[in-house]
Amino acid sequence: MESVRIFAGDCTVQFEGSRDRTQRGRVVVVAKPDRTVLVHDVSGYQPVAWLTRADSLTVESGPGSFGLVARAGEQVLTVESHDVTGRAEYPTTAAGVPVGSHPDTGEPLVRTAGSVVGLDSGVEFPLPAGSAVLDSTCDDCGLPLVRVERGAVFDICLDRKCDPLDERVKDRFDGEWSCPDCDSPLRIIFRGGRLLAGCDSYPECETAFSIPSGVAVETCECGLPVFETARGRRCLDSTCEFA
């Protein structure tokens, strides 16, 4: 698990870059895992100095002093202590929407960005695009279920090893549609992190389509399915002139 480092004391803070400035005061310095450095004083919510996602961050910490140098291109943030009030390091995770607890560890699970993560262990479960985490849990492992639309609606386990989405889609749609170029069945395959409907006559026929997030609701004039997606209706073939 990653950590945030905290330093506090009487410091000189120097910023070189878009606007050079030098400040001194009793401040709190926050160094985040992505090399973002924030310097806070007693007033307001905004740092008095900061550098976001620095290219490099050097931290020197001795018994009675500390210093930080963060660099991003031509911008440099330097913090030099004169008197140390305190320093600490705390484990941190992304903050997200609570979605239950881990059945084995009991730790809270939260949804953040494109994953569900455990707040204690840092375990991470990537989410399929466009998915929703449900209140119900998997009968096999106890993790939350996830609702995903890939031609149909599937409620699958959060752990893809427990209940693989590609297998569910394959069971439902393998051979269901025909290749518009050679009329061979379209097979459901998982390649390069994507679910595809690929021609059974490959490599003689290289036709393949990425399966979108949505539900197949009707048949297009070209013979392929039309999907109802968050952005409207579209053919399985995103370039189809009939869609």
Side-chain angles (χ1 to χ4, degrees), residues 209-239:
F209 306 101
S210 179
I211 300 177
S213 300
V215 176
V217 292
E218 61 184 37
T219 301
C220 181
E221 291 185 38
C222 73
L224 292 171
V226 172
F227 287 72
E228 186 73 61
T229 74
R231 297 182 178 180
R233 295 195 173 194
R234 53 152 288 187
C235 179
L236 176 64
D237 179 0
S238 61
T239 65

Side-chain angles (χ1 to χ4, degrees), residues 148-160:
V148 189
E149 295 181 352
R150 292 295 187 276
V153 178
F154 299 96
D155 291 348
I156 63 172
C157 180
L158 178 65
D159 186 351
R160 298 207 193 173

Side-chain angles (χ1 to χ4, degrees), residues 110-159:
V110 299
R111 177 171 185 164
T112 173
S115 299
V116 168
V117 298
L119 293 188
D120 296 331
S121 66
V123 63
E124 182 175 355
F125 300 97
L127 290 170
S131 60
V133 182
L134 306 178
D135 292 332
S136 50
T137 57
C138 176
D139 292 335
D140 293 326
C141 72
L143 284 167
L145 292 178
V146 177
R147 179 159 293 171
V148 189
E149 295 181 352
R150 292 295 187 276
V153 178
F154 299 96
D155 291 348
I156 63 172
C157 180
L158 178 65
D159 186 351

Side-chain angles (χ1 to χ4, degrees), residues 1 7 12 32 55 68-69 75 88-89 95 143 152 160 171 176 218 238-239:
M1 186 178 297
F7 304 89
T12 293
K32 302 181 73 173
D55 300 325
L68 295 86
V69 180
Q75 299 185 102
E89 184 170 339
L143 284 167
R160 298 207 193 173
D171 290 344
E176 179 82 7
E218 61 184 37
S238 61
T239 65

